[in-house]
Amino acid sequence: MLDPHDIELPRRILVGRGVAEKVGDIAKSLGLSGKAYVLLGKMGRKLAGEIALNSLSSCGFDVFDRDVEGDAEEHSNIIEHAKGVRPSFIVSIGGGTTIDLGKYAAFKLGIPFISVPTAASHDGIASPMVSLKGLRSPYSIKAKPPLAIIADVNIIMSAPHRLLASGCGDIIAKLTAVKDWKLAHRIKSEYYGEYAASLAVLSAKLVMRHAKLIGAHKEEGVRIVIEALVSCGVAMCIAGSSRPCSGAEHQFSHVLDMIAPKPALHGEQCGVGTIMMAYLHGMKWRKIKKALKTIGAPTTAKELGIDDEYIIRALVEAHKIRPRYTILGDSGLTWEAAEKLARTTGVIK
């Protein structure tokens, strides 16, 4: 008999041009009132800050805004400051760290959270998961999904293409994440949810199918990435964990974050990890590599800006990062096997 788990999903998802000015209307339509605590990343302040703050004020909310410096360890100060304000809900306008800081603070305070991303760089914009260095966890932990997601295509299109390509790496990573989940189900009798898995895989396949459109930074391609990231977040909500979206390729990325002098973006590292884990799974890894190249995402250590040594070390240590069964097994790869894997797939020369 399967253990029950709650499926908590976002209630409103708005994607389109100029929708940042709808933040107040959306909050009001969800029955929210009182004080709004708004976290603004640097680009969030520049691209959407005034629009969103005015939208909230004009809808009758008392607005308290705070700039986020991009330091993941800010969460304690933000929570303490928010406690003093006593907001009814939190809004984050910015990139991944800003979104996760707001999501985590709202979770800890037991209040709703609204996500307003300024870039489509990873699936945290819609997921119940939080990844912050200050939490002393090398991997994502579960919080709650946003009550609403407001993705303004104008703003996200104006972000550097590198951020969009990073989001694609995170989406394509679902192909190997789901393979790992199936493997854990078969070998360790772990719960496996076919619907959540199918949703994650569908998102990855759609991004690969439209790689040229996305690589050209066309509006239709940007919308596909945004919707795919939202779908991946929903897949995690349905699964009750990050399993459909995070496998050995993510563990590889988490280790790189810990050991590389200058890590690349999360999705970039996951994309490169996916190439190698796809090889281990016997998948069409060259097709994955080609799609990432077409999109404009890194496919080698050199393109990540990370020395070969750290790539190999991350492969060797990835299986230790969390108690989650993947293609790396219980004992992981030897240094020799890891080096051979990275060379065979062209990740290192």
Side-chain angles (χ1 to χ4, degrees), residues 164-233:
L164 186 74
S166 173
C168 293
D170 201 10
I171 295 164
I172 291 172
K174 308 332 177 195
L175 295 173
T176 49
V178 167
K179 286 282 187 181
D180 281 338
W181 195 14
K182 284 183 178 178
L183 192 65
H185 174 65
R186 189 168 71 246
I187 294 175
K188 300 288 186 178
S189 298
E190 184 179 321
Y191 160 74
Y192 174 75
E194 188 170 357
Y195 188 90
S198 298
L199 188 56
V201 169
L202 174 64
S203 300
K205 287 183 176 179
L206 278 171
V207 165
M208 288 182 65
R209 188 184 307 162
H210 296 286
K212 286 184 180 179
L213 193 65
I214 296 165
H217 209 82
K218 299 292 186 181
E219 181 178 346
E220 186 182 347
V222 172
R223 282 176 176 264
I224 287 167
V225 176
I226 294 168
E227 290 169 5
L229 289 171
V230 171
S231 293
C232 290

Side-chain angles (χ1 to χ4, degrees), residues 73-254:
E73 298 191 17
E74 284 183 87
H75 64 88
S76 295
N77 292 334
I78 288 170
I79 291 169
E80 286 306 309
H81 185 247
K83 281 180 180 177
V85 173
R86 294 185 179 182
S88 303
F89 62 101
I90 292 177
V91 181
S92 277
I93 306 171
T97 298
T98 305
I99 296 292
D100 277 359
L101 284 168
K103 192 190 303 179
Y104 186 68
F107 172 64
K108 284 297 184 180
L109 296 176
I111 57 177
F113 171 66
I114 294 176
S115 170
V116 187
T118 54
S121 57
H122 68 71
D123 58 25
I125 65 174
S127 80
M129 311 306 293
V130 169
S131 181
L132 294 170
K133 292 177 184 176
L135 300 180
R136 296 184 178 86
S137 172
Y139 51 85
S140 299
I141 63 168
K142 190 176 179 185
K144 283 193 172 186
L147 184 65
I149 302 140
I150 302 168
D152 194 314
V153 175
N154 286 341
I155 292 168
I156 292 172
M157 280 194 72
S158 70
H161 184 75
R162 181 189 178 190
L163 298 177
L164 186 74
S166 173
C168 293
D170 201 10
I171 295 164
I172 291 172
K174 308 332 177 195
L175 295 173
T176 49
V178 167
K179 286 282 187 181
D180 281 338
W181 195 14
K182 284 183 178 178
L183 192 65
H185 174 65
R186 189 168 71 246
I187 294 175
K188 300 288 186 178
S189 298
E190 184 179 321
Y191 160 74
Y192 174 75
E194 188 170 357
Y195 188 90
S198 298
L199 188 56
V201 169
L202 174 64
S203 300
K205 287 183 176 179
L206 278 171
V207 165
M208 288 182 65
R209 188 184 307 162
H210 296 286
K212 286 184 180 179
L213 193 65
I214 296 165
H217 209 82
K218 299 292 186 181
E219 181 178 346
E220 186 182 347
V222 172
R223 282 176 176 264
I224 287 167
V225 176
I226 294 168
E227 290 169 5
L229 289 171
V230 171
S231 293
C232 290
V234 170
M236 285 185 265
C237 292
I238 293 169
S241 76
S242 63
R243 256 307 195 180
C245 298
S246 174
E249 75 296 318
H250 271 65
Q251 292 176 220
F252 163 78
S253 177
H254 292 318

